[in-house]
Amino acid sequence: MARIAQTRSPRGVAGTRRGRPASAARPSANIRKVRQAGRREAILAAALAEFSARGFTATRLDDVAKRAGIAKGTIYLYFRDKESLFQELIRTMLSPLVGTIEALRDADVPVRMLADQLVELFVREVFLTRRKDVIRLMISEGPRFPKLAEFYYREVLSRIIAALRALLRRAHERGEIANDAVVRFPQLIAAPGIVAIIWTGLFDRFETIDVRAMMKAHVDLLFTQRSAA
Amino acid sequence: MARIAQTRSPRGVAGTRRGRPASAARPSANIRKVRQAGRREAILAAALAEFSARGFTATRLDDVAKRAGIAKGTIYLYFRDKESLFQELIRTMLSPLVGTIEALRDADVPVRMLADQLVELFVREVFLTRRKDVIRLMISEGPRFPKLAEFYYREVLSRIIAALRALLRRAHERGEIANDAVVRFPQLIAAPGIVAIIWTGLFDRFETIDVRAMMKAHVDLLFTQRSAA
DNA sequence: TATAAATGACTGACCGGTCAGTCATAATCA
DNA sequence: TGATTATGACTGACCGGTCAGTCATTTATA
């Protein structure tokens, strides 16, 4: 069933392939390179779908292959083994986040505004994409992949937290933030997002959650100004 | 290794057994009954340890048996199958929580105070106990056990949330809470706790987190009063 | 045609679940 | 009370299905 939609590539290409005029035109061929990259992506996409649905151990590489439209053996041309596939999947998907976040770091706008942008970023780039599933995977399987957890902490989390902390401290000193709770625990900023990811995975069919609204409400809390009573 | 400590029972008892004065005294003998209860608990404890360490699929019932100090077959005298064992484990551990929380519901103390008690309750009864691991299991494996998720939502979460919502609304109307964010999203109250559970599972070795402090700080945020500027 | 890529049948380890047999305990009897 | 029989909790070897990983063969490419 299921059948993966995105990452067009292999089968389709191979099928239509036939009538190609000549191997001319392109210098020689990184057609191969391109195709290989496509394969790789197809495998990663299929792996994400399967790992998300069943978890690491219960995922069958046969199914990943079928979903990617290739033979099982092919997977081993691109990845050393199942675990390696899993780890590269997570690395590939989460690494880009750091840059995006760090880009915001030095912007010199009111923190309040930055926070709103952060929420928007999270909703658009994580919650509404497959990255949400990757984070869920990280949460579920991470404890059994110490190496992966370490990578994630070192390369992603610690950087984000450091950036946030600096940012928030500045804001607190400027008086933009009344309470120093978030300065001491920057994790609090992400908390509603994490909870939303978990919630939708478990209970969406019983009660949906409006992530954006919840995160915005939370940001409001964090930035509550002392105002005349 | 490992060897479970609690739940003394079988072998030990059988060994010392010999010199019992007579089968007198006790009506007849539910020694058997008692032993059985012990077994059940031993299995559940072992299962929790193994499931926590490896996840549902990767857990071997052979290991559970070894850890509980029994033979594999014995597990099947107490639980229908692996899945059933898993589900009963979670039910058994989490069900008691509801009562405890609902007990707080109608107390007529300032909500602020109640919130502090809630934090304390969470830290003492969840975070510092094995229930923390059960919640982690629920988060990790829940998506693959719809029945379990449903049970948890219906029997535990929805009740807690309902109670919280009522409580918070009252407080908001009384002016004890300035911002209505938590009224609309009671999940926010639990968010730091959830995040702490996940964090410790993944990153404790890199950076510890002071749950109590974080939760208290967060509660402070939620209850920030408008004060003269 | 020579080389590289892809395939999928195959292997062997692994593990959930079973069940015939054992033995401590309970029940019955003398 | 001590001997005898009945019970059923417990055991662990075993079976059958599953699946990660391999590799001889086929297919596509230069």
Side-chain angles (χ1 to χ4, degrees):
Chain A
M1 306 296 124
R3 187 114 307 230
I4 204 133
Q6 5 130 304
T7 62
R8 174 87 26 231
S9 68
R11 280 288 288 289
V13 174
T16 1
R17 173 138 254 17
R18 238 180 3 90
R20 181 159 52 96
S23 70
R26 206 46 27 71
S28 66
N30 13 30
I31 293 173
R32 221 150 163 160
K33 288 277 173 58
V34 173
R35 185 129 73 217
Q36 284 195 14
R39 283 265 150 113
R40 208 189 133 86
E41 270 176 48
I43 295 172
L44 285 172
L48 173 53
E50 293 291 329
F51 283 138
S52 283
R54 309 191 202 299
F56 176 79
T57 313
T59 288
R60 289 174 295 244
L61 290 188
D62 274 314
D63 289 344
V64 173
K66 193 180 300 177
R67 188 183 278 262
I70 57 168
K72 184 167 65 161
T74 307
I75 293 175
Y76 288 86
L77 299 176
Y78 294 85
F79 302 93
R80 204 176 67 260
D81 55 16
K82 191 185 183 184
E83 191 166 321
S84 173
L85 167 61
F86 181 73
Q87 304 207 9
E88 283 204 49
L89 169 65
I90 293 198
R91 278 167 212 241
T92 306
M93 299 285 289
L94 296 186
S95 291
L97 278 187
V98 191
T100 321
I101 300 257
E102 284 185 337
L104 287 183
R105 180 181 44 196
D106 307 310
D108 196 29
V109 292
V111 216
R112 176 55 209 258
M113 223 165 180
L114 227 61
D116 286 336
Q117 284 175 15
L118 226 72
V119 168
E120 214 41 54
L121 187 73
F122 178 85
V123 172
R124 220 183 37 245
E125 294 298 320
V126 177
F127 198 83
L128 297 178
T129 69
R130 289 171 162 277
R131 264 195 273 271
K132 168 192 59 192
D133 302 310
V134 178
I135 290 183
R136 219 192 326 260
L137 270 178
M138 185 72 223
I139 290 173
S140 299
E141 310 282 355
R144 260 154 285 142
F145 293 90
K147 286 275 177 50
L148 195 58
E150 181 171 353
F151 157 82
Y152 183 62
Y153 176 77
R154 216 190 290 292
E155 302 298 323
V156 185
L157 252 198
S158 67
R159 289 209 219 164
I160 292 180
I161 288 184
L164 279 181
R165 209 188 295 264
L167 208 79
L168 292 166
R169 178 165 305 132
R170 211 174 61 199
H172 184 242
E173 282 161 4
R174 280 192 199 163
E176 293 184 85
I177 298 176
N179 190 311
D180 75 335
V182 264
V183 180
R184 290 184 295 136
F185 302 101
Q187 290 93 343
L188 288 178
I189 296 238
I194 301 297
V195 167
I197 289 181
I198 294 170
W199 182 279
T200 54
L202 289 171
F203 313 120
D204 223 32
R205 63 208 151 109
F206 309 121
E207 189 182 337
T208 58
I209 239 182
D210 182 340
V211 213
R212 191 181 272 112
M214 182 164 82
M215 292 186 78
K216 279 197 147 88
H218 191 246
V219 167
D220 274 348
L221 271 176
L222 302 182
F223 287 90
T224 297
Q225 292 294 344
R226 304 191 214 88
S227 62
Chain B
M1 306 295 124
R3 185 116 309 229
I4 206 129
Q6 2 133 303
T7 63
R8 173 85 27 230
S9 70
R11 284 287 288 287
V13 174
T16 359
R17 170 141 258 11
R18 246 183 351 94
R20 180 160 51 99
S23 72
R26 204 49 27 70
S28 66
N30 13 30
I31 294 173
R32 228 150 159 161
K33 288 278 175 54
V34 172
R35 185 129 75 217
Q36 283 194 20
R39 283 270 148 111
R40 208 187 133 87
E41 271 175 48
I43 294 172
L44 284 172
L48 174 52
E50 293 292 329
F51 283 138
S52 283
R54 310 192 201 298
F56 177 78
T57 313
T59 287
R60 290 175 293 245
L61 289 186
D62 274 315
D63 290 343
V64 173
K66 195 179 299 177
R67 188 183 279 262
I70 58 167
K72 184 167 63 162
T74 306
I75 293 175
Y76 289 86
L77 298 176
Y78 293 85
F79 303 93
R80 205 177 63 261
D81 54 17
K82 192 185 185 185
E83 191 166 322
S84 173
L85 167 61
F86 180 74
Q87 303 208 8
E88 282 204 48
L89 170 64
I90 294 198
R91 278 167 212 243
T92 306
M93 298 285 288
L94 296 186
S95 291
L97 279 187
V98 191
T100 322
I101 300 258
E102 285 186 336
L104 287 184
R105 181 180 44 195
D106 307 310
D108 196 29
V109 293
V111 215
R112 176 56 209 258
M113 223 165 179
L114 228 60
D116 286 337
Q117 284 174 14
L118 225 71
V119 168
E120 213 43 53
L121 186 73
F122 178 85
V123 172
R124 219 182 40 244
E125 294 298 321
V126 176
F127 199 84
L128 296 177
T129 69
R130 287 170 164 278
R131 264 195 272 270
K132 168 192 59 192
D133 301 309
V134 178
I135 289 183
R136 217 191 329 260
L137 270 178
M138 186 71 223
I139 290 173
S140 299
E141 311 283 355
R144 261 154 284 142
F145 294 89
K147 286 274 176 52
L148 195 57
E150 181 172 354
F151 158 81
Y152 183 62
Y153 176 77
R154 216 190 289 293
E155 302 297 323
V156 185
L157 252 200
S158 67
R159 289 208 219 166
I160 292 180
I161 288 183
L164 279 181
R165 207 187 296 264
L167 209 77
L168 293 165
R169 178 163 306 132
R170 213 174 60 199
H172 185 243
E173 282 162 4
R174 280 193 200 161
E176 293 184 85
I177 298 176
N179 189 311
D180 75 335
V182 265
V183 180
R184 289 185 295 136
F185 301 102
Q187 289 95 342
L188 288 177
I189 295 239
I194 301 296
V195 166
I197 288 181
I198 294 170
W199 181 280
T200 54
L202 289 171
F203 313 121
D204 223 31
R205 62 208 151 107
F206 310 121
E207 188 183 338
T208 57
I209 240 183
D210 182 340
V211 214
R212 192 182 271 112
M214 183 166 82
M215 293 187 77
K216 278 197 147 90
H218 192 245
V219 167
D220 275 348
L221 272 176
L222 302 182
F223 288 90
T224 298
Q225 291 295 342
R226 303 191 214 91
S227 62

